[in-house]
Amino acid sequence: MSGDLYRLAMTVLHPGFEGTSAPDWLRRALGEGLGGVVLFARNAVGADLVRELRAENPDVVVAIDEEGGTVTRLEVADGSSFPGNRALGVVDDVRLTERVGRQIGRMLAELDITLDYAPSADVNADPANPVIGVRSFGAAAELVSRHTAAYVEGVQGAGVAACAKHFPGHGDTVTDSHLALPTVHATRELLLERDLPPFRAAIESGVRSIMSGHLLVPALDPAVPATLSRTVMTELLRGELGFDGMLVTDAIEMRAVAAMAPPGEIAVRALDAGVDAICVGLSDENGLREIAEAIVAAVREGRLAEERLAEAAARVKALSTWYAAQSELRAKAHGDVDEGVGLDAARRALTTTGDGRLTSAPLVVEVNTRLNKAIDADTPTGVATALTALLPGTARVRLEQGGELPALGDRPVVLVVHDAARHPQVRETVARALAARPDAFVVDTGVPAAPEGGTHVHTHGISRVSAQAAAEWMTR
C-alpha cells in the first residue's frame, strides 16, 4: 500500500524545473508516476523536450502558461503573435477570440502539450489591479463570460485542454498573489453576479481544468485562502457550479500561501479542500519528494482521506485520457493555419486619440516597462523594434525606476508606458514630456489613463503584433 500511496501522491504533483532538457531526477520521478510537468520560458520549450518527458511517462500532463499577449512562454524573445485578452475584449468579436484560441491551441498541439493554463477568466473590476489588468477580457462579467467561453472552445477545438483561472476571481484585488495574500472585499451576492459567471461559462463550454486563485474571500470563507478552502473548492466549485474536471492550484511557492506553511503542508491542505493537482512552479528532487512524502504521511495519519487522494489522481489521469482521445482534432488543427489572425486582432484593438504621424526616426522613451511576476522578465514591449523596422535610426531609452526624462531634442518622441491608469508617477512623467513636446506620441500597452494632449495609441496589451499595429498606425 505504501508504494501505491506514493504513486498516487506523485500523480497529483506538477512541478516545473530548471534547464532546457529533463534533468535526471525529473526522469526518475516520471518513471515513478509523476502526473504532470509545467514548462516555462526558461526551459526553451520545444518538441524534443516534450518527447523527453513523454518517453518516461507517455501519459504525463504537460502544462504551460500560454495566454497570448503579456503572458507567453513560447514567444518570449520577440513577443506573442497574439494581442492578449484585453485587446480581444476591446474588439468584442467572439468569433475572433475563438480563432485566436484555436491558433494558440494549434501551436501547443504541434508540441504535444496537454494543457494550457489559459484563459484568465478574471473580471478586472479594479483598474488598480497589479497582476491581472490586460490579462482579463475586461471589467464586465457578461463580456468576460462570452470571451472566456470562446477562448476555451478555440483551444479545446484544437485538441488541447484549456484551464480557466483564477477561481473564484482575481480581478477585484490590489495585491499581487505572487508577493502576498490578496483579499477580495465583495459580498457573496456581488461575487455571484460579477466574478463567477465567467467560470460558469467556461464550465458550460466543457473546460477541462480550472485553476484556483490564492485569494482570501471572506464572503465565501473568512479563515483560509480559496486554494485551501473546502467551502470554495468543493462546495462552491464542485457542488454549486458542477465542475468535475481537473482542479489545479496556482503555483504553491507564491507568497500568498507559501508564507503560511511548508510546501508539503500546503499541498495536503489543498488536496483536502478538493484540489486535484498541485502546481509547483520550480522544484528539485528533494523538494518534490518532501511534498510527496508529506501527502503520504497525511493519509497515514488520517488527515487526508485516501479516497480523496485517489479521486484527485483519477482526475489528473482523466485529463490525460481526454487529451489522448483528441488526436483527430489536433491533426485537423495542424492544417488549419490562420496566420494573420493575431495581427488582425491587434489592429482592430487599437484605440487612438489625435492625428499625429511619424515621418522620421523617433526617440522611443520606455517609461515603466517592468512588469509583474506572472510575466517573463524578458518579454519585450516591442514598440521600438517595430518602429525601427519602419523607420531605421529609431533610438530607444529605457528609464530607470523613478528616473528623469532624457533631453528630448528636436526629433519625434514616442513615450511607451504601461498601465498609466494605475501609476500616478507615470501620468506625471507623461504630462512633463507633453508640456515640453506637445507633438509627442504616447503608446500605452496596458490599462490606459484618459488621454490628455499629444497623440495617444492604446494597444491594450503587450505583444509583437500589438507593437507592430501601433507602429503601422503611427507611420500610416
Side-chain angles (χ1 to χ4, degrees), residues 1-7 296 300:
M1 178 55 68
S2 173
D4 291 345
L5 268 184
Y6 188 78
R7 197 167 187 90
V296 170
R300 287 177 173 159

Side-chain angles (χ1 to χ4, degrees), residues 77-420:
D78 298 317
S80 178
S81 301
F82 309 97
N85 283 7
R86 181 182 171 91
L88 293 171
V90 168
V91 178
D92 196 14
D93 176 346
V94 290
R95 173 67 186 126
L96 179 66
T97 297
E98 183 181 355
R99 287 169 60 199
V100 166
R102 181 172 176 79
Q103 290 306 300
I104 290 174
R106 185 183 67 81
M107 186 164 63
L108 300 182
E110 295 286 312
L111 299 174
D112 202 12
I113 290 172
T114 317
L115 173 64
D116 187 8
Y117 287 151
S120 168
D122 307 294
V123 178
N124 198 54
D126 191 331
N129 194 312
V131 69
I132 301 302
V134 291
R135 299 169 66 200
S136 166
F137 291 110
E142 199 274 335
L143 173 80
V144 176
S145 298
R146 286 188 287 115
H147 288 276
T148 294
Y151 191 107
V152 167
E153 289 160 9
V155 172
Q156 295 192 168
V160 171
C163 179
K165 60 188 183 186
H166 308 78
F167 189 83
H170 205 323
D172 190 12
T173 61
V174 292
T175 302
D176 183 345
S177 51
H178 294 84
L179 306 176
L181 178 63
T183 299
V184 178
H185 300 286
T187 64
R188 183 181 176 88
E189 291 71 28
L190 180 56
L191 292 167
L192 290 172
E193 178 185 318
R194 181 192 66 194
D195 296 87
L196 297 188
F199 293 98
R200 288 187 187 274
I203 293 166
E204 288 168 6
S205 295
V207 74
R208 306 307 303 182
S209 180
I210 288 178
M211 178 181 283
S212 68
H214 300 324
L215 313 161
L216 187 66
V217 191
L220 301 178
D221 188 331
V224 293
T227 297
L228 309 180
S229 170
R230 176 175 286 272
T231 302
V232 178
M233 296 292 102
T234 297
E235 294 175 17
L236 177 58
L237 182 53
R238 299 289 191 202
E240 291 185 42
L241 271 63
F243 178 63
D244 195 38
M246 189 188 83
L247 178 51
V248 60
T249 68
D250 209 342
I252 63 168
E253 70 270 25
M254 293 166 63
R255 293 298 298 167
V257 292
M260 301 176 66
E265 179 62 20
I266 294 297
V268 167
R269 294 182 193 177
L271 288 163
D272 188 53
V275 168
D276 305 309
I278 308 297
C279 172
V280 188
L282 181 60
S283 190
D284 57 22
E285 184 163 25
N286 291 337
L288 188 70
R289 294 195 182 281
E290 283 175 11
I291 298 172
E293 287 164 5
I295 294 169
V296 170
V299 174
R300 287 177 173 159
E301 294 162 7
R303 295 195 301 119
L304 176 64
E306 184 175 342
E307 294 78 12
R308 170 77 273 272
L309 178 59
E311 176 188 57
R315 286 207 182 99
V316 173
K317 290 177 179 176
L319 180 65
S320 178
T321 300
W322 176 88
Y323 177 79
Q326 309 308 310
S327 57
E328 284 189 17
L329 281 182
R330 290 193 293 278
K332 185 178 177 185
H334 175 75
D336 184 17
V337 180
D338 193 355
E339 196 166 344
V341 67
L343 182 56
D344 177 44
R347 287 168 174 160
R348 291 173 64 186
L350 284 185
T351 53
T352 61
T353 304
D355 58 1
R357 183 168 173 262
L358 287 172
T359 56
S360 60
L363 170 65
V364 176
V365 182
E366 295 182 353
V367 176
N368 68 320
T369 53
R370 290 158 191 78
L371 304 168
N372 66 59
K373 292 282 187 178
I375 301 166
D376 192 281
D378 294 329
T379 304
T381 62
V383 175
T385 300
L387 281 170
T388 300
L390 298 173
L391 297 172
T394 293
R396 171 179 172 264
V397 173
R398 190 179 196 183
L399 294 191
E400 293 304 315
Q401 197 156 9
E404 287 300 311
L405 284 164
L408 300 180
D410 296 326
R411 68 190 302 179
V413 172
V414 177
L415 304 171
V416 181
V417 303
H418 186 74
D419 282 354

